[in-house]
Amino acid sequence: CHPCVAMRVPVGPLSLLLALSLLSPRGSAGGSCPPRCVCASNLLSCSQANLSAVPAPLPRFTAVLDLSHNNVTRLRADWAPARLPHLHALLLSHNGLAFVSTEAFTHVPRLRHLDLSSNRLRTLDENLFSDLGELEVLLLYNNEITTVDRTAFENLGRLRKLYLGQNRIARFPLELLREGTRLPQLALLDLSANRLRAVPAGELQALPAWLRDRLYLHNNPLACDCLLFQLLDRGHRRHLSAVVDFQDELRCILPGAPASIKILALADQQPLNCSKAREAVLEAHLGDSVTLGCDSRWQGVRSRHWVTPGGERVLGDGGNGSVVLLANGSLQLRALRPEDAGTYACWVAGPLLNETLYVELLVHNFTLHGPHDTLNTAYTTLVGCILSVVLVLIYLYLTPCRCCCCRGTEKPPAPRDDSINSSVLSTTPNHAGGTGEPCGSHIASSAGTGQNGRFKGGGTPPLPTRQGPKAQRKVSDPDSVSSVFSDTPIVV
């Protein structure tokens, strides 16, 4: 018999119901495909269906919902009245969308990809996307956005890519990048074709290279600035894609210039005359501790190691603890020595390609440095000069007189029978008798000092006391005749 006859089975109502359930995705329990939409497994495509609202009800099994190229101008909180636990991609581009409720994403907490590009959004309100804790990609380019609230991207701890290009943003949203706390995993930020006139180049330079590699700033009316030039020049030398791929579109405006010029062409050009900054040059002093950063442009680094100027490979602690490889890949040098100067190389094994970074370390051969030490040195020098001047003034004007106690004592006239050999210019009187006695200090110093207060090593000893009328005479000082600068008047 024919084989088909043996396999022929009568078709009943139960068999027909089973066949229809197999053709419908997830069966009737998951919901039917909305009109004017195409359902394929868990994909729901309603693109170019001339819809003015989101179709309802939506199947619970929907994982990807495409509503692009329609007329959905307002996205209210009730567009998804029931929870859609499997929805991870929502496409709403090219809808003329002008309003999005802050509660619009309450029932889609598993959303990872949200496309709101090419619409008419003007502001990003407070906590607009705060319910999307698992969002990874957010497309907002080609809108009319002028204001970005500081809390619009709160709780987006997993966001990796944020596209804000082709809008009307005039202020750089630095809070999206600062400290990496608000968007800790952000790896791409597109701000191209906006109305930015200035960017914080100094703070952007401090960002890791893997983030600067995906920071797009081209086609903005930026004002020419040397810090901006150095930021982009470093990126060009590091082959960062955001600079290399759009170097012709990275332009700026000089004051009074009729047209914009390339930012990378500002080197040695008037009136700014910007100079190229040296890449990764670190200066330190003897005894300091420094940390050399390995600023790779790869985010998922598998391994890295350093090579010292002497060719030594550093994988961990080395040099009795003076060279330490930190957990973040940086190299720490402690108690710098002159031989630590040179060029260090950091070898990085990235997820796609390897990269080698070079850091030049300059060690100055002195320890006193910095503004604080300079101030101390200048202060010490000034105090020393003032003290020197004070001491000179004291010496010139306040030196006490050697005979201050004798100034009031009147000297008696010398006897006429003094020896002719007595000194007429002596600093001390030749007679010890008479009515006036010399002061005690003078007598004490006369035994060991000579003219002008100088010490006499070998003076003439006094003769024994003689009896007679001339017993009061003393031996005259033979050296006193030569003293012509005595403080006493000449005796006639």
Side-chain angles (χ1 to χ4, degrees):
C1 67
H2 198 276
C4 293
V5 176
M7 298 296 296
R8 188 174 298 165
V9 179
V11 178
L14 182 62
S15 300
L16 182 60
L17 181 61
L18 178 62
L20 291 177
S21 65
L22 292 176
L23 292 176
S24 176
R26 299 293 179 93
S28 59
S32 60
C33 189
R36 293 184 287 181
C37 297
V38 177
C39 298
S41 183
N42 58 355
L43 307 180
L44 181 59
S45 177
C46 303
S47 179
Q48 298 181 359
N50 198 24
L51 298 175
S52 57
V54 179
L58 293 172
R60 294 186 70 255
F61 60 79
T62 304
V64 178
L65 177 57
D66 184 4
L67 294 170
S68 61
H69 297 276
N70 281 288
N71 298 316
V72 182
T73 59
R74 302 177 69 85
L75 190 65
R76 301 181 182 275
D78 58 352
W79 72 272
R83 187 179 179 89
L84 300 175
H86 304 287
L87 186 66
H88 63 79
L90 176 60
L91 311 178
L92 281 165
S93 62
H94 298 278
N95 269 278
L97 192 63
F99 171 78
V100 177
S101 172
T102 55
E103 300 177 354
F105 308 106
T106 304
H107 292 156
V108 288
R110 299 293 180 88
L111 206 62
R112 298 196 303 269
H113 184 101
L114 178 59
D115 186 1
L116 298 175
S117 63
S118 300
N119 283 293
R120 296 180 180 177
L121 297 176
R122 295 186 177 183
T123 61
L124 300 180
D125 296 329
E126 180 181 1
N127 298 318
L128 181 59
F129 306 104
S130 60
D131 292 328
L132 303 177
E134 299 185 11
L135 191 65
E136 298 178 2
V137 180
L138 178 56
L139 290 83
L140 291 166
Y141 64 87
N142 194 25
N143 275 277
E144 301 174 2
I145 300 174
T146 58
T147 305
V148 179
D149 191 87
R150 291 180 177 270
T151 63
F153 304 101
E154 288 288 346
N155 302 327
L156 299 185
R158 296 187 181 182
L159 189 65
R160 297 186 299 107
K161 299 179 180 181
L162 177 57
Y163 296 87
L164 288 169
Q166 301 183 42
N167 279 284
R168 301 175 183 178
I169 301 175
R171 187 190 66 84
F172 186 88
L174 187 61
E175 58 274 6
L176 302 180
L177 304 175
R178 183 182 286 125
E179 301 175 0
T181 55
R182 182 159 301 181
L183 301 175
Q185 297 188 20
L186 188 65
L188 185 150
L189 177 58
D190 180 15
L191 291 169
S192 62
N194 274 279
R195 297 180 179 180
L196 298 176
R197 296 186 178 274
V199 295
E203 298 188 47
L204 295 181
Q205 179 60 40
L207 297 175
W210 54 264
L211 181 52
R212 284 184 281 123
D213 189 37
R214 294 292 186 271
L215 177 59
Y216 297 96
L217 297 171
H218 55 278
N219 290 330
N220 274 286
L222 296 169
C224 292
D225 182 74
C226 287
L227 290 178
L228 176 63
F229 162 74
Q230 292 176 357
L231 171 69
L232 299 180
D233 182 60
R234 289 191 181 100
H236 187 265
R237 282 185 286 174
R238 291 288 303 276
H239 303 287
L240 302 185
S241 59
V243 179
V244 175
D245 297 342
F246 298 95
Q247 54 184 316
D248 293 335
E249 288 81 12
L250 284 166
R251 308 180 71 86
C252 64
I253 302 174
L254 283 170
S260 61
I261 63 174
K262 293 182 180 180
I263 298 178
L264 294 178
L266 285 177
D268 302 325
Q269 182 171 339
Q270 298 297 334
L272 295 180
N273 195 22
C274 298
S275 59
K276 294 186 176 182
R278 295 182 297 176
E279 179 70 16
V281 176
L282 187 62
E283 298 186 19
H285 302 81
L286 292 178
D288 287 351
S289 295
V290 297
T291 301
L292 310 181
C294 188
D295 190 19
S296 174
R297 59 193 176 102
W298 302 118
Q299 187 175 8
V301 175
R302 293 184 285 107
S303 63
R304 71 183 84 196
H305 69 268
W306 285 84
V307 178
T308 65
E312 179 183 0
R313 185 173 178 177
V314 181
L315 296 175
D317 294 351
N320 63 15
S322 61
V323 182
V324 180
L325 182 62
L326 303 180
N328 61 356
S330 301
L331 187 68
Q332 187 179 65
L333 304 176
R334 303 170 181 171
L336 288 179
R337 302 165 299 175
E339 54 267 26
D340 291 331
T343 302
Y344 292 77
C346 179
W347 185 86
V348 179
L352 301 176
L353 297 173
N354 296 335
E355 184 181 15
T356 304
L357 305 176
Y358 298 95
V359 180
E360 182 181 357
L361 177 62
L362 305 178
V363 179
H364 297 291
N365 194 20
F366 56 89
T367 56
L368 292 179
H369 59 278
H372 180 69
D373 295 333
T374 303
L375 178 61
N376 285 343
T377 303
Y379 178 75
T380 304
T381 304
L382 178 62
V383 171
C385 293
I386 293 176
L387 289 178
S388 300
V389 172
V390 171
L391 290 177
V392 170
L393 293 176
I394 291 176
Y395 178 77
L396 292 177
Y397 297 102
L398 300 180
T399 304
C401 177
R402 291 189 313 237
C403 301
C404 60
C405 58
C406 305
R407 296 266 176 114
T409 304
E410 184 179 355
K411 292 184 179 181
R416 295 184 179 271
D417 55 352
D418 276 350
S419 172
I420 194 172
N421 295 325
S422 62
S423 174
V424 296
L425 298 175
S426 176
T427 57
T428 58
N430 291 330
H431 303 278
T435 58
E437 294 293 333
C439 60
S441 62
H442 191 76
I443 294 176
S445 62
S446 63
T449 56
Q451 60 272 21
N452 295 330
R454 291 179 299 176
F455 178 79
K456 285 179 54 178
T460 304
L463 293 178
T465 307
R466 291 168 34 174
Q467 303 293 331
K470 296 185 179 180
Q472 301 295 331
R473 294 187 58 180
K474 285 188 176 224
V475 178
S476 63
D477 188 357
D479 293 335
S480 62
V481 179
S482 61
S483 176
V484 295
F485 298 101
S486 176
D487 294 334
T488 59
I490 299 177
V491 180
V492 180

